Amino acid sequence: MATAGISTAEKTEKLTLAQAVNHGLAQEMERDPSVLVMGEDVGMDGGVFRVTEGLLDKFGPDRVMDTPLAESAIVGAAVGLAIAGFRPVCEIQFTGFVYPALNQLFAHAARYRNRSRGRYPLPMVIRMPYGGGIHPPEHHSESYEALFAHTPGLKVVIPSTPGDAKGLIVSAIRDDDPVIFMEPKRIYRAFREEVSPEDYTVPIGQARIAADGKDVAIIAYGAMVRAALEARETLARRNVSAEVVDLRTINPMDIETILRSAEKTGRVVVVHEAPRNAGVGAEIAALIQERAMLSLLAPVQRVCGFDAVFPFPRLEEHYLPAKERVLEAVQKTLDF
Amino acid sequence: MATAGISTAEKTEKLTLAQAVNHGLAQEMERDPSVLVMGEDVGMDGGVFRVTEGLLDKFGPDRVMDTPLAESAIVGAAVGLAIAGFRPVCEIQFTGFVYPALNQLFAHAARYRNRSRGRYPLPMVIRMPYGGGIHPPEHHSESYEALFAHTPGLKVVIPSTPGDAKGLIVSAIRDDDPVIFMEPKRIYRAFREEVSPEDYTVPIGQARIAADGKDVAIIAYGAMVRAALEARETLARRNVSAEVVDLRTINPMDIETILRSAEKTGRVVVVHEAPRNAGVGAEIAALIQERAMLSLLAPVQRVCGFDAVFPFPRLEEHYLPAKERVLEAVQKTLDF
Amino acid sequence: MRVGRLCRYPVKRARGNLVQPEAVIKARGSPKSDLAFETGDKMPVTIIHEARTERLEILDRSGKADEALLPKLSSEEMASLYKLMVRMRRFDEKALALQRQGRMGTWGSVRGQEACQAGLAVNLLKEDWLAPSFREHGVMISHGIPMRQIYALWRGDERGHLFPEGVNCLPVSIPVASQLLHAAGLGLGLKLRGEKSAVAIGFAGDGASSEGDFHEALNFGGVFKSRTLFFIQNNQWAISVPFHKQTAARSIAQRAPAYGMPGMQVDGNDVLAVYAATKKALDHVRAGNGPYLLECLTYRMENHTTADDASRYRLAEELAYWKERDPIDRMRAFLVSRKLWDDKKGQALLEEVSAEVEAEVKAFEAEPAAPATDIVDFMYKERPWFLEEQRALLAREAR
Amino acid sequence: MRVGRLCRYPVKRARGNLVQPEAVIKARGSPKSDLAFETGDKMPVTIIHEARTERLEILDRSGKADEALLPKLSSEEMASLYKLMVRMRRFDEKALALQRQGRMGTWGSVRGQEACQAGLAVNLLKEDWLAPSFREHGVMISHGIPMRQIYALWRGDERGHLFPEGVNCLPVSIPVASQLLHAAGLGLGLKLRGEKSAVAIGFAGDGASSEGDFHEALNFGGVFKSRTLFFIQNNQWAISVPFHKQTAARSIAQRAPAYGMPGMQVDGNDVLAVYAATKKALDHVRAGNGPYLLECLTYRMENHTTADDASRYRLAEELAYWKERDPIDRMRAFLVSRKLWDDKKGQALLEEVSAEVEAEVKAFEAEPAAPATDIVDFMYKERPWFLEEQRALLAREAR
Ligand SMILES: Cc1ncc(C[n+]2csc(CCOP(=O)(O)OP(=O)(O)O)c2C)c(N)n1
Ligand SMILES: Cc1ncc(C[n+]2csc(CCOP(=O)(O)OP(=O)(O)O)c2C)c(N)n1
Ligand SMILES: [Mg+2]
Ligand SMILES: [Mg+2]
């Protein structure tokens, strides 16, 4: 049977990032009957972004569960389901609505393996769209990856392409530890890409050189990778060769790749949407100066969201880091 | 009337940090009838650490409220009380139990002034003991200041001495924005200090040079200031002159003082109990390399808690950063 | 080191007379549980609690009223209830039209819930506080918030939230149920201030009732007898999730006993019933008896928001069924049957509210966007150094 | 740019036939609310829900039983209930003694609640799962967890949590009420796995019942008919806060209707009543009828924990009152009155359990501390690079 969401194709297809996640979910549910999908509106509605579309029809209400409107219940019940032998994939409708679930995530999901001395690992995935760019009401544009990165026991993954999205969601589902899987909603459908219908994984913990260069390294993830690549084009015209590193995993970070690019170029700019203060960019800057200071030709620059609430739509474009701000930061490293 | 907690003294008294907070609370409640204290066991019991002791007898149940066991309710109701014209001071019994309140803190307390374009500022204080060192059960040793520092709209204050504790709690209560006030439970009663019975404040946003030096700057806060000072003594015997900076406010950070010490010494070690990854130490290192790289003689070193769950009591001493680890880090900056 | 030495809280080490003499405890009012003397004496099976939950309906769907229950309202007051509803609907329809034209952001329609919000609105005093969720436009414009501000808000402009001085309404709260706690705290604040009339209204939907904050708010309000009306509009859907998947309970109203407060359900498409029920509930709260839980059983006639497509999960026949129970048609039928309304009046009313709505649209669309620096300017009373730097960047880019 | 263009979710842009044909919705089972056909037809006041909450008591405080209600238990079974309680108390008393000597960490005593936990324990099957809070030692040791492990745990050693294979018990959960959600999810998992007997028991106290997670867990369990017994020990105190300050409700049991599940209150100091009530509740859950809410009304005889000093907030006379209602004395009186127990038996039992307890203490105290590297070794299945580095530091310091 064919429904909108799910691929029945034998050969490579052009998919959006949202569809790629959908295909990854469908493939894993097919392969492993212990995989469950649960969350608000994930069933009949297929998720407000249609990422779980078609799964209810294909796998039925025992494996695709519309839950009550209660995020703590979604994650807390998933903990129990994981202990019962399932691999729940929870959807939190927006990152701005994950806070009610933080007690279950921080006090339990992140700690259960450790607390039980390895007896109860929790193979669970918490998916959530994150970031700005869709002009929604308040609370629909948050980027809170630093919270999860700062919490020992969680892994944090953020794809930036359809191909990675499928490979990473599969890895996340197969991972025996809780994985926070943040999806850049801004590029859910921004572009399509050839995605193999095969069963493949992209390993958690490995960054990707999105484009190589020698003068400066731009480290980004999620929707910001595009801003980085746009900046790279402009820089090329100015005869500046920029390398773009797509982090893909926020925790555990790919320290080798980060240091290699830093040492190779001597100049680093980190880009993310989240606020600056104690954000992921701070960690990257701290690590680089700690471990590669002597190869630095300039201080690591950070291009972040403001230390302010994400604005309502009419001012949204002023909040998000854009190509111009990346260029400005790169210039700083060149002029230093 | 005199009860255990509350000072009636006219002249300077030797107080513990816990007593100093208690005196600050009592003085402000005396001065300003809109100040309320609310939380679990803050009334009849005087708080599990006795920080609110005597307040119920002195100010009555309408101003000192034992709440139901519900952290989201404590903070959420405080938001409403602040809008009604009160200045609630909430106690969260331990930082490890603040997670259920994070939705109210992140989605509302931190955003209300901004959301209402200044119409509804929220003068409220959220007090919570934090950190390790008392050999308690799980969840009683957490240090999560980075969460709050990363959330725009909150201020984060951590005293390390009785004198500062009183002056800072008073400033926090008088502040028109929400202040997270984290109390280092480990040193609640570790030592006494002369504290003036006068009405005085210590400004939020200003660090303190706990001890000056010229070869290396050790930046710490809360209970870690003592580890830093102990390290300083040992270093002195090795003819290394260490400056100790007590941050006091985590957000907004005192950038001038931090940079001045960094530029003066060229070597910086940051110490905190919280995990490393995207912690406050990362922000400090990032800021220093960003703004003072040329004066650095070595990379900024971080001495943090492990990226692991705070262990149960039998292994606790191995988790907490101690003098030895600080010395090791200082040596790294000297050998660089 | 002796294990556990450090792990007692410092009870024994703090100063002063820590062990409270019995006298002191008694003086403070014994905290002894009122249950403390209830077991081990009686036998065998005792009924410790009984509860019944009622639903009030006054108008049937054809507009025929139960005379006995008819609230004592003058003809004008009856008509004004109707007028309020028509004004709300016109306001709402306009927003949907603007959204289709790309002149409005995501809009959550109040269509179908006008009776709930009008029946409440006419019982409100100026000094009452609203703690709205995102679907309370109807009662908000009735409580004194200019339409233009709500339009501006959902068009994506924070300045819409700067409500006129003296209009007691909190900003729109989007995390469902969270505002119920603000209403509980505000209601307690009003009590502590010694208010004798003002109360706080906390709004939430059927979906929101599953959140932990719903529970904590009602329980907190109950314990402190806060001056709060918990006003639940059960429109039977939470986006795509129907009420029977939201909870195994048959109603929200039957949760009142769980918090030791009174509660009831009312036909939310029957404005006279909502009027009567709200009046009863507000009398209870205003008198200082503590909070009240009122559930309005209504129906969401539109998509969840303009971002939603309800045809994916909802049957057309269900919608048709509820069209026949439209709160506005029902009240009009009632008024007409009593000769209190006719087409001429209807025409005049429509022209009046349409003119108002058009004027408000003009006004909000005339507003230029706020300066980008507004992003950082309302975060704290004083801007810290980093926001000064970030503000400079925004200002630079603006040039 | 046209405002709002981006702010619709991409309904219109995704591929395929998005608007579900009615047929498909029907085929999936119409999500139509079962309330959808209930308003606008009936008039005027209807009772939509009635609930009564019962409390069961079988033994009065003198140990006299209500014959009619006496559960059908053999003499041995009756005695075994008593033995379980004595074993729990001895285990608990020993921990308190160790703590006073600095050989134990913070200890939360189960004294006074033995009847709740013994009455439940004897109804448990090996395959049942416990989701304990921090005061469930009694039922835990009865369900097969070695005393030494619970001692080790509260002495501050995570290895205590490595319960024996096949003993279905989750680690102790300290954030109150949070474990109720694990029990709800586990109970759903057991249902999905097609279990016909196994159930999950979620434990919480009266204070915990105020947390949002209590509400979310019972509501979730109710919706999914999970195989979960929500077992609430209302010992009337949450540290220093008495039950009547915890909620305006008179009982926890009366909250069952709020979640569409059955519930009752039982005298938690009456082990026969707890036995009977638990049996009834477990039969309901095992049969697949969904969750059950059982409230045991009991009393915390000790300080909250060894870190607490209850004399600061609790009247001596209240404690005295409850001493007269001690669950163990009461059951002994009953057994003695039936010639099922005497001092000789009592002496033998005491010696037996004391010997066991002493052996267990020896065993746990013989355990050397775990290596410091354990701090990082259980965080993830594989250690990431930073934990390798941190492990090296710990190893270095250990040398
Ligand atoms: C805490 C939280 N989780 C998720 C959402 C996303 N969301 C917005 S409205 C909604 C459904 C709300 O249903 P209900 O409470 O019945 O209100 P209604 O929309 O029917 O008025 C959801 C899930 C949210 N706003 N807040
Ligand atoms: C979420 C959370 N907040 C606060 C605490 C601190 N605390 C530990 S036990 C307790 C009281 C619990 O009372 P109750 O639920 O009645 O259980 P009891 O101690 O009576 O067995 C509190 C407030 C906690 N453990 N978890
Ligand atoms: Mg609804
Ligand atoms: Mg209790």
Side-chain angles (χ1 to χ4, degrees):
Chain A
M1 56 137 299
T3 45
I6 297 171
S7 160
T8 49
E10 297 314 307
K11 53 170 205 22
T12 323
E13 259 195 297
K14 274 186 159 287
L15 301 180
T16 63
L17 193 148
Q19 291 166 333
V21 176
N22 176 273
H23 286 213
L25 290 169
Q27 268 184 22
E28 280 304 286
M29 292 185 81
E30 195 102 51
R31 192 186 62 77
D32 178 353
S34 71
V35 177
L36 306 175
V37 164
M38 59 195 289
E40 295 154 12
D41 307 289
V42 296
M44 189 79 69
D45 197 37
V48 294
F49 286 104
R50 308 291 175 253
V51 174
T52 56
E53 173 150 51
L55 298 179
L56 173 65
D57 292 340
K58 199 162 174 19
F59 301 103
D62 280 355
R63 295 187 61 196
V64 181
M65 296 183 269
D66 274 323
T67 64
L69 210 182
E71 289 75 14
S72 189
I74 292 169
V75 175
V79 168
L81 284 160
I83 291 163
F86 293 91
R87 303 181 87 86
V89 181
C90 304
E91 174 172 308
I92 298 292
Q93 206 159 69
F94 289 85
T95 295
F97 304 134
V98 73
Y99 314 141
L102 291 180
N103 189 42
Q104 288 294 335
L105 281 169
F106 291 172
H108 291 300
R111 292 165 163 253
Y112 231 84
R113 174 191 288 275
N114 182 72
R115 181 182 299 145
S116 65
R117 298 287 93 173
R119 168 62 49 78
Y120 298 117
L122 297 181
M124 55 193 280
V125 180
I126 315 294
R127 294 179 41 243
M128 60 187 90
Y130 87 95
I134 65 162
H135 284 51
E138 194 185 356
H139 302 289
H140 291 66
S141 304
E142 277 57 32
S143 302
Y144 247 131
E145 62 274 11
L147 251 66
F148 303 116
H150 185 61
T151 305
L154 301 176
K155 296 183 178 181
V156 186
V157 173
I158 301 183
S160 78
T161 69
D164 282 354
K166 181 180 167 185
L168 284 166
I169 191 69
V170 171
S171 294
I173 292 170
R174 296 183 189 176
D175 199 287
D176 285 334
D177 289 302
V179 178
I180 307 291
F181 193 85
M182 300 177 73
E183 300 165 4
K185 67 173 86 75
R186 182 189 204 175
I187 55 171
Y188 259 144
R189 286 169 181 76
F191 59 98
R192 293 170 177 283
E193 186 180 81
E194 298 279 327
V195 175
S196 157
E198 302 299 314
D199 172 335
Y200 70 93
T201 62
V202 172
I204 291 174
Q206 287 183 19
R208 169 181 75 99
I209 304 295
D212 68 356
K214 55 178 190 20
D215 302 328
V216 60
I218 307 174
I219 301 177
Y221 50 88
M224 290 300 107
V225 171
R226 308 201 80 205
L229 289 170
E230 285 165 25
R232 181 172 182 273
E233 283 177 24
T234 312
L235 289 166
R237 271 181 258 109
R238 301 180 189 165
N239 300 317
V240 177
S241 150
E243 176 150 300
V244 174
V245 178
D246 176 359
L247 215 47
R248 298 201 295 197
T249 296
I250 308 305
N251 185 36
M253 245 180 227
D254 182 349
I255 185 78
E256 283 85 3
T257 303
I258 290 171
L259 293 180
R260 205 177 308 114
S261 294
E263 282 155 1
K264 174 171 148 197
T265 61
R267 302 184 186 85
V268 181
V269 172
V270 188
V271 189
H272 60 61
E273 296 181 42
R276 162 203 62 93
N277 198 352
V280 169
E283 182 58 36
I284 295 173
L287 285 172
I288 291 174
Q289 66 89 38
E290 231 163 69
R291 294 153 195 255
M293 174 163 278
L294 292 184
S295 11
L296 285 182
L297 303 170
V300 178
Q301 297 296 320
R302 290 181 287 170
V303 178
C304 310
F306 295 98
D307 293 301
V309 172
F310 196 100
F312 284 16
R314 283 189 86 174
L315 295 180
E316 179 168 348
E317 60 195 309
H318 301 291
Y319 181 95
L320 288 167
K323 180 181 138 195
E324 291 62 35
R325 286 180 198 157
V326 178
L327 291 173
E328 197 176 356
V330 168
Q331 200 53 48
K332 274 210 193 116
T333 65
L334 294 167
D335 299 344
F336 188 78
Chain B
M1 56 144 296
T3 46
I6 298 172
S7 159
T8 50
E10 297 315 305
K11 54 166 201 27
T12 322
E13 259 194 299
K14 275 185 161 287
L15 300 181
T16 63
L17 193 148
Q19 291 166 334
V21 176
N22 175 273
H23 286 211
L25 289 169
Q27 270 186 19
E28 279 306 285
M29 292 185 80
E30 195 101 53
R31 192 187 62 79
D32 178 353
S34 71
V35 177
L36 307 175
V37 164
M38 60 196 288
E40 295 154 12
D41 307 289
V42 296
M44 188 80 68
D45 196 37
V48 294
F49 286 103
R50 308 293 174 249
V51 174
T52 57
E53 174 151 51
L55 299 179
L56 174 65
D57 291 342
K58 199 162 171 28
F59 301 104
D62 280 355
R63 293 187 62 194
V64 181
M65 295 184 268
D66 274 324
T67 63
L69 210 183
E71 290 75 13
S72 189
I74 293 169
V75 175
V79 167
L81 284 160
I83 292 165
F86 294 91
R87 303 181 87 87
V89 180
C90 304
E91 173 172 308
I92 298 293
Q93 207 159 69
F94 289 86
T95 294
F97 304 133
V98 74
Y99 314 141
L102 291 180
N103 188 42
Q104 288 293 336
L105 281 169
F106 292 172
H108 291 301
R111 292 165 163 252
Y112 232 84
R113 174 190 287 275
N114 182 71
R115 180 182 299 145
S116 65
R117 298 288 91 172
R119 167 63 48 78
Y120 298 118
L122 296 181
M124 54 194 278
V125 180
I126 316 294
R127 293 180 42 246
M128 61 188 89
Y130 87 97
I134 66 164
H135 283 50
E138 195 186 355
H139 302 290
H140 292 66
S141 304
E142 278 57 33
S143 302
Y144 247 130
E145 62 275 10
L147 251 67
F148 303 116
H150 185 61
T151 303
L154 301 176
K155 295 183 179 181
V156 185
V157 172
I158 301 182
S160 77
T161 69
D164 281 354
K166 181 180 168 185
L168 283 166
I169 191 68
V170 170
S171 294
I173 292 170
R174 297 183 190 177
D175 198 287
D176 285 333
D177 288 303
V179 178
I180 308 292
F181 193 84
M182 299 176 75
E183 301 166 6
K185 68 172 85 75
R186 182 189 202 176
I187 55 172
Y188 259 145
R189 287 168 181 76
F191 59 98
R192 293 170 177 282
E193 187 180 80
E194 299 278 327
V195 176
S196 157
E198 302 298 314
D199 172 334
Y200 70 93
T201 62
V202 172
I204 291 174
Q206 286 183 20
R208 170 181 75 100
I209 303 295
D212 68 356
K214 56 177 190 20
D215 302 328
V216 59
I218 307 175
I219 302 177
Y221 50 89
M224 290 301 105
V225 172
R226 306 200 82 205
L229 289 169
E230 286 164 25
R232 180 171 183 273
E233 282 177 25
T234 313
L235 288 165
R237 274 182 255 106
R238 302 178 190 167
N239 300 317
V240 177
S241 148
E243 176 150 303
V244 173
V245 179
D246 176 359
L247 214 47
R248 299 200 295 196
T249 296
I250 308 305
N251 185 35
M253 243 180 230
D254 183 349
I255 185 76
E256 282 86 4
T257 303
I258 291 171
L259 293 180
R260 205 179 305 113
S261 294
E263 282 155 0
K264 171 171 152 196
T265 61
R267 301 184 186 84
V268 181
V269 172
V270 187
V271 189
H272 59 62
E273 296 180 43
R276 162 203 62 96
N277 199 352
V280 169
E283 182 59 36
I284 295 173
L287 285 172
I288 292 174
Q289 66 89 37
E290 231 165 68
R291 293 152 194 255
M293 174 162 281
L294 293 182
S295 13
L296 285 183
L297 303 169
V300 178
Q301 297 296 321
R302 290 182 285 172
V303 179
C304 311
F306 295 98
D307 293 301
V309 172
F310 196 99
F312 284 17
R314 284 189 85 173
L315 295 181
E316 178 169 350
E317 60 194 311
H318 300 290
Y319 182 95
L320 287 168
K323 178 181 140 195
E324 291 63 34
R325 287 181 197 154
V326 178
L327 290 173
E328 196 177 354
V330 168
Q331 200 52 50
K332 275 213 194 110
T333 65
L334 294 166
D335 299 344
F336 187 76
Chain C
M1 186 208 64
R2 285 175 62 236
V3 183
R5 183 170 52 77
L6 291 177
C7 70
R8 294 190 206 111
Y9 305 157
V11 178
K12 304 276 170 299
R13 288 153 67 204
R15 291 154 60 242
N17 159 25
L18 282 193
V19 178
Q20 300 289 354
E22 302 272 313
V24 175
I25 299 181
K26 286 220 181 70
R28 294 172 182 175
S30 160
K32 185 159 40 62
S33 163
D34 54 3
L35 285 176
F37 292 83
E38 282 192 13
T39 78
D41 303 317
K42 292 193 225 56
M43 286 194 321
V45 175
T46 41
I47 292 167
I48 58 169
H49 186 265
E50 278 186 300
R52 64 172 29 179
T53 309
E54 296 181 338
R55 171 167 61 224
L56 174 68
E57 303 174 48
I58 294 177
L59 291 179
D60 75 5
R61 57 170 145 154
S62 69
K64 195 162 69 47
D66 182 302
E67 299 297 336
L69 295 170
L70 218 48
K72 282 149 215 39
L73 288 171
S74 69
S75 309
E76 290 61 36
E77 290 170 323
M78 296 263 189
S80 70
L81 280 168
Y82 177 73
K83 288 179 184 167
L84 270 182
M85 292 196 287
V86 172
R87 179 169 179 258
M88 292 174 187
R89 182 159 295 185
R90 193 73 204 85
F91 167 74
D92 189 78
E93 284 168 340
K94 184 65 189 187
L96 291 169
L98 291 173
Q99 200 280 340
R100 278 189 297 274
Q101 299 159 26
R103 294 159 62 190
M104 175 57 61
T106 308
W107 182 264
S109 172
V110 72
R111 188 184 192 93
Q113 303 179 209
E114 292 91 348
C116 310
Q117 301 194 19
L120 167 63
V122 296
N123 279 302
L124 292 177
L125 304 173
K126 180 86 178 148
E127 58 263 39
D128 291 336
W129 282 84
L130 306 183
S133 182
F134 47 80
R135 208 184 292 282
E136 275 64 68
H137 322 308
V139 63
M140 286 166 78
I141 60 174
S142 309
H143 198 50
I145 295 169
M147 291 177 176
R148 70 187 67 182
Q149 290 198 249
I150 294 169
Y151 282 146
L153 207 56
W154 295 100
R155 157 76 174 80
D157 187 338
E158 281 94 347
R159 294 171 303 178
H161 262 152
L162 196 53
F163 299 146
E165 281 288 357
V167 175
N168 293 344
C169 181
L170 303 186
V172 165
S173 168
I174 287 181
V176 301
S178 60
Q179 65 282 353
L180 295 177
L181 278 164
H182 309 157
L186 192 45
L188 171 57
L190 296 172
K191 176 189 164 195
L192 293 176
R193 266 163 39 180
E195 301 288 343
K196 290 281 162 276
S197 58
V199 302
I201 321 289
F203 294 86
D206 45 304
S209 72
S210 299
E211 290 279 359
D213 276 0
F214 171 92
H215 176 70
E216 296 194 18
L218 271 69
N219 192 57
F220 186 98
V223 167
F224 289 102
K225 288 197 169 299
S226 66
R227 302 179 61 81
T228 307
L229 168 62
F230 295 104
F231 191 84
I232 311 301
Q233 292 168 82
N234 179 350
N235 62 13
Q236 305 185 53
W237 288 91
I239 305 187
S240 71
V241 179
F243 184 62
H244 67 86
K245 284 192 189 176
Q246 199 60 243
T247 179
R250 303 269 291 112
S251 73
I252 304 292
Q254 75 196 59
R255 289 186 179 165
Y259 308 106
M261 68 177 72
M264 74 178 288
Q265 187 186 71
V266 62
D267 180 347
N269 285 22
D270 172 348
V271 71
L272 292 178
V274 174
Y275 169 85
T278 317
K279 186 166 188 325
K280 178 181 166 188
L282 283 170
D283 288 348
H284 172 88
V285 180
R286 293 195 200 283
N289 303 318
Y292 192 101
L293 173 61
L294 183 63
E295 173 188 19
C296 302
L297 185 59
T298 179
Y299 192 76
R300 194 194 81 210
M301 298 288 286
E302 269 291 340
N303 293 326
H304 168 68
T305 66
T306 48
D308 175 47
D309 172 8
S311 69
R312 295 172 57 84
Y313 52 77
R314 198 157 81 166
L315 294 173
E317 68 193 35
E318 181 179 310
L319 196 62
Y321 171 89
W322 282 96
K323 281 221 175 73
E324 291 168 14
R325 284 151 180 79
D326 184 280
I328 294 185
D329 299 344
R330 198 188 292 191
M331 184 60 176
R332 190 193 309 101
F334 169 77
L335 291 174
V336 169
S337 72
R338 310 218 151 195
K339 309 266 175 300
L340 297 175
W341 199 258
D342 57 31
D343 290 356
K344 208 165 124 295
K345 287 205 176 100
Q347 198 45 47
L349 174 61
L350 199 64
E351 278 159 21
E352 180 192 335
V353 293
S354 301
E356 180 190 12
V357 165
E358 293 307 326
E360 291 291 313
V361 170
K362 237 205 193 73
F364 104 83
E365 290 197 322
E367 258 327 307
T373 46
D374 273 16
I375 291 174
V376 297
D377 282 353
F378 297 94
M379 290 306 298
Y380 298 95
K381 189 174 189 181
E382 289 104 22
R383 264 191 307 281
W385 61 271
F386 52 84
L387 286 185
E388 284 299 345
E389 292 181 2
Q390 292 169 20
R391 188 177 203 281
L393 167 65
L394 283 163
R396 192 153 22 92
E397 287 181 344
R399 280 200 310 276
Chain D
M1 185 209 63
R2 285 173 65 237
V3 183
R5 183 168 52 75
L6 291 178
C7 69
R8 294 187 204 111
Y9 305 157
V11 178
K12 304 278 170 299
R13 287 156 66 205
R15 289 154 62 240
N17 160 25
L18 282 193
V19 178
Q20 300 289 354
E22 302 272 313
V24 176
I25 300 181
K26 287 216 179 73
R28 294 172 181 172
S30 159
K32 183 158 43 59
S33 162
D34 56 2
L35 285 176
F37 292 82
E38 282 191 13
T39 77
D41 303 316
K42 295 194 223 58
M43 285 194 325
V45 176
T46 41
I47 292 167
I48 58 170
H49 186 266
E50 278 186 301
R52 65 174 26 180
T53 308
E54 297 182 336
R55 171 167 61 223
L56 174 68
E57 302 173 50
I58 294 176
L59 291 179
D60 75 4
R61 56 171 146 153
S62 71
K64 196 161 70 46
D66 181 303
E67 300 296 335
L69 294 171
L70 217 49
K72 282 147 215 40
L73 289 171
S74 69
S75 309
E76 290 62 36
E77 291 170 325
M78 296 261 190
S80 70
L81 279 169
Y82 176 73
K83 289 178 182 170
L84 271 181
M85 292 195 288
V86 172
R87 180 169 179 258
M88 291 175 188
R89 182 160 295 187
R90 192 74 204 83
F91 167 75
D92 189 80
E93 283 168 341
K94 183 66 187 185
L96 291 169
L98 292 173
Q99 200 279 340
R100 279 188 298 272
Q101 299 158 27
R103 294 158 64 189
M104 176 57 62
T106 308
W107 182 265
S109 172
V110 73
R111 189 183 191 93
Q113 302 179 209
E114 292 92 347
C116 309
Q117 300 193 18
L120 168 64
V122 297
N123 279 301
L124 292 178
L125 304 174
K126 180 86 179 146
E127 59 262 39
D128 291 336
W129 282 84
L130 306 183
S133 184
F134 46 80
R135 207 184 292 281
E136 275 65 66
H137 323 308
V139 63
M140 286 166 77
I141 60 173
S142 310
H143 198 51
I145 295 170
M147 292 177 174
R148 68 187 68 181
Q149 291 199 247
I150 295 169
Y151 283 146
L153 208 56
W154 294 99
R155 155 78 174 79
D157 187 337
E158 280 93 347
R159 292 170 304 179
H161 263 152
L162 196 54
F163 299 147
E165 279 290 357
V167 175
N168 293 343
C169 182
L170 303 186
V172 166
S173 169
I174 288 181
V176 302
S178 60
Q179 65 283 353
L180 294 177
L181 279 164
H182 310 156
L186 192 44
L188 171 57
L190 296 173
K191 176 189 165 196
L192 293 176
R193 268 164 35 181
E195 301 288 343
K196 292 279 162 277
S197 57
V199 302
I201 320 291
F203 294 86
D206 46 304
S209 72
S210 299
E211 289 280 359
D213 275 1
F214 171 92
H215 176 71
E216 296 195 18
L218 271 70
N219 192 56
F220 186 97
V223 167
F224 289 102
K225 288 194 169 302
S226 66
R227 303 178 61 82
T228 308
L229 168 61
F230 294 104
F231 190 85
I232 310 302
Q233 292 169 81
N234 179 351
N235 62 12
Q236 306 185 51
W237 289 90
I239 305 186
S240 71
V241 180
F243 185 62
H244 68 86
K245 283 192 189 178
Q246 199 59 244
T247 179
R250 302 269 291 111
S251 73
I252 304 292
Q254 75 197 60
R255 289 185 180 165
Y259 308 107
M261 67 176 73
M264 75 179 287
Q265 187 184 71
V266 63
D267 180 346
N269 285 22
D270 173 348
V271 71
L272 293 178
V274 175
Y275 169 85
T278 317
K279 187 166 187 324
K280 178 180 166 190
L282 283 170
D283 288 347
H284 172 89
V285 179
R286 292 195 200 284
N289 303 319
Y292 193 101
L293 173 61
L294 183 63
E295 173 187 19
C296 301
L297 186 59
T298 179
Y299 191 76
R300 195 194 80 210
M301 299 288 287
E302 270 291 340
N303 293 326
H304 168 67
T305 66
T306 49
D308 176 47
D309 172 7
S311 68
R312 294 171 58 83
Y313 51 78
R314 199 157 79 165
L315 295 172
E317 69 192 32
E318 181 180 310
L319 196 60
Y321 171 90
W322 282 97
K323 280 221 175 70
E324 292 168 14
R325 284 153 181 77
D326 183 279
I328 294 184
D329 299 344
R330 197 187 293 191
M331 185 60 177
R332 191 194 308 101
F334 169 78
L335 292 174
V336 168
S337 71
R338 310 218 149 198
K339 311 268 176 296
L340 297 174
W341 199 258
D342 56 33
D343 290 355
K344 206 164 125 299
K345 287 207 177 95
Q347 197 47 44
L349 175 60
L350 199 63
E351 279 159 22
E352 179 192 336
V353 294
S354 300
E356 180 190 12
V357 165
E358 293 308 325
E360 291 291 315
V361 169
K362 238 204 194 70
F364 105 84
E365 290 197 322
E367 252 334 301
T373 47
D374 272 17
I375 290 175
V376 296
D377 282 355
F378 296 95
M379 289 305 299
Y380 298 95
K381 188 174 191 184
E382 289 105 20
R383 265 192 305 282
W385 61 270
F386 52 85
L387 287 185
E388 285 299 346
E389 292 182 2
Q390 292 169 21
R391 187 176 204 281
L393 168 64
L394 285 163
R396 194 154 20 94
E397 288 180 343
R399 281 198 311 276

